[in-house]
Amino acid sequence: MAAPKTPNAFVNVVRKIYHPIGFKKGYNFTLWFIFAGALFGFVLARLQYLSIDGKFKAGSSPGEWYWLRSGFRKVGITLHLATILPAGLLVVLQFIPIIRYKALIFHRINGYVIIPLLLLSHVGAIMVARHSFGGEFETQVLVGLLVIMTTSGIFLAYYNIKRLQIDQHRAWMIRTWFYAGSIITLRIIMILSSLIVTKTGGYYRAMSCDEIKFILGNQNQFEASYPQCSAVNGTIDGYIALPATFNTDAARIGNTLGMCFGTAGWLALAMHAVGVEIYLRLTPRENERLRTVSYQRQLEAGFNHPGSAGITSDRWGDADTWRPPNEKPLQSDGEELSERGKDVNRTTMI
């Protein structure tokens, strides 16, 4: 019998890092470190934007402040940032195993705080969607879909944990925050696509002369660079077509980002939606372990259909009825005869 492999020095060192915080598998820690770390870093970098009239004004995409500087849209962006940023920080803690094991009360309270923060951030996002990053129609639909997906996911996660269906609670929480995390991948794709359309050439997008003038902040530069805005019949309802160029003045940079934002968002959301399903299907043992725990807790709580008291595919779909690992399914007389026949055939063959 071959001796078990001894972990190398690197594995031993890494285990000393992730075992104390509750991770038992290296790949789980690696994925948490990458994705939760990316979310945590992104949120930390954006905390400064809570200064709406200061850091956000200076750091937002060219043209955004023109639309968000006053009125209900300023209220919307303030509400969005003031809720989604704290939620993004707190949710990282939800995926640390040691907190769930040793501080379950904190895990529950933290969850109850995160849910309303996420929902309020959706209200703010919808308020600014019309003009956020250009507010193109595909961008507005993207924001709406992202709101629907994350709201549905968070409610399904909540319902399942109230039914003690821990395996489905885990799955829907992971889905929800993978969907929400697409905003990070979105920005990477947006920059890359902006560079591509600039290199390719021939892409144009309409921008209002008032917005261009506001972005440039210099009357002389505005009149010299965009004389059509001052010419008679030089615009269509105050709009002109700007080429997508990511390497010239601020107006054209903002215009290019606005052109690519929606496309980048759809691609990022698709990548995250597919990626999270791949991950969930590659971790069936963890799902089965949690379903067994769910069965035990639902049985103790007196729920009907223990093991499937929440939203599960065997009750809501056409999957086979789930049974705990130590419980064998009962067989009918016909099935027993069939099994005996198979045993006789096997004996004859031997």
Side-chain angles (χ1 to χ4, degrees):
M1 183 175 181
K5 293 182 180 180
T6 303
N8 59 42
F10 174 76
V11 172
N12 284 329
V13 170
V14 174
R15 283 179 176 174
K16 290 179 180 179
I17 297 173
Y18 67 74
H19 279 171
I21 57 176
F23 288 99
K24 295 180 175 59
K25 300 290 185 180
Y27 73 88
N28 280 333
F29 172 74
T30 302
L31 291 172
W32 175 84
F33 183 80
I34 293 172
F35 293 108
L39 178 62
F40 188 73
F42 179 81
V43 171
L44 284 181
R46 292 297 189 274
L47 283 177
Q48 60 181 324
Y49 284 178
L50 291 173
S51 172
I52 300 297
D53 292 304
K55 295 295 185 178
F56 178 79
K57 175 183 176 181
S60 59
S61 174
E64 274 202 295
W65 187 245
Y66 172 77
W67 298 103
L68 306 181
R69 69 187 188 276
S70 62
F72 78 93
R73 291 192 179 93
K74 186 176 183 180
V75 174
I77 192 62
T78 303
L79 176 63
H80 179 66
L81 294 176
T83 51
I84 194 60
L85 293 179
L89 289 177
L90 293 174
V91 78
V92 173
L93 303 176
Q94 294 296 87
F95 293 100
I96 299 178
I98 196 66
I99 292 178
R100 298 197 300 273
Y101 302 152
K102 302 294 185 180
L104 184 57
I105 296 298
F106 173 80
H107 178 78
R108 290 174 178 173
I109 294 173
N110 197 34
Y112 284 124
V113 172
I114 289 170
I115 291 174
L117 287 176
L118 180 64
L119 298 179
L120 285 172
S121 76
H122 290 164
V123 176
I126 292 171
M127 291 171 69
V128 302
R130 177 65 182 86
H131 290 291
S132 182
F133 276 95
E136 298 295 336
F137 188 68
E138 67 268 22
T139 298
Q140 297 176 55
V141 176
L142 169 68
V143 172
L145 179 62
L146 196 53
V147 165
I148 292 171
M149 292 174 70
T150 50
T151 301
S152 301
I154 206 75
F155 273 117
L156 287 168
Y158 176 78
Y159 176 81
N160 277 291
I161 199 59
K162 298 303 287 185
R163 300 292 297 172
L164 300 180
Q165 197 70 47
I166 303 170
D167 55 310
Q168 290 302 310
H169 172 72
R170 162 189 175 261
W172 283 108
M173 283 298 290
I174 291 174
R175 285 189 181 106
T176 297
W177 287 99
F178 254 77
Y179 301 155
S182 64
I183 62 170
I184 302 173
T185 307
L186 178 158
R187 281 161 170 78
I188 299 172
I189 298 174
M190 178 178 65
I191 297 298
L192 293 175
S193 57
S194 295
L195 295 172
I196 291 171
V197 298
T198 299
K199 183 71 173 178
T200 305
Y203 290 92
Y204 292 82
R205 176 176 170 270
M207 180 178 276
S208 74
C209 290
D210 289 340
E211 185 177 352
I212 296 170
K213 183 178 179 180
F214 179 86
I215 294 172
L216 296 180
N218 185 303
Q219 181 68 27
N220 293 331
Q221 182 186 1
F222 169 67
E223 292 178 352
S225 300
Y226 302 97
Q228 61 270 47
C229 285
S230 303
V232 177
N233 297 325
T235 69
I236 299 177
D237 295 331
Y239 282 78
I240 63 171
L242 287 187
T245 51
F246 197 57
N247 53 9
T248 51
D249 62 53
R252 297 191 182 193
I253 292 174
N255 187 61
T256 306
L257 292 174
M259 175 185 293
C260 298
F261 182 87
T263 301
W266 280 101
L267 182 56
L269 182 56
M271 292 170 61
H272 280 241
V274 172
V276 71
E277 295 303 323
I278 292 174
Y279 169 74
L280 291 173
R281 280 155 179 75
L282 289 177
T283 54
R285 288 186 179 179
E286 179 65 8
N287 183 75
E288 188 66 15
R289 182 186 73 82
L290 291 175
R291 190 155 189 183
T292 303
V293 173
S294 301
Y295 167 79
Q296 295 168 347
R297 295 189 181 180
Q298 289 167 357
L299 196 64
E300 293 169 358
F303 285 178
N304 293 326
H305 311 289
S308 304
I311 299 178
T312 57
S313 58
D314 58 339
R315 286 193 62 208
W316 293 70
D318 63 352
D320 294 334
T321 301
W322 183 86
R323 299 180 186 279
N326 59 349
E327 181 182 321
K328 293 182 179 180
L330 298 176
Q331 294 177 327
S332 65
D333 293 341
E335 288 174 328
E336 289 181 356
L337 290 173
S338 177
E339 289 297 322
R340 289 174 183 172
K342 291 178 182 178
D343 291 340
V344 170
N345 289 337
R346 294 192 193 102
T347 304
T348 304
M349 291 175 65
I350 291 172

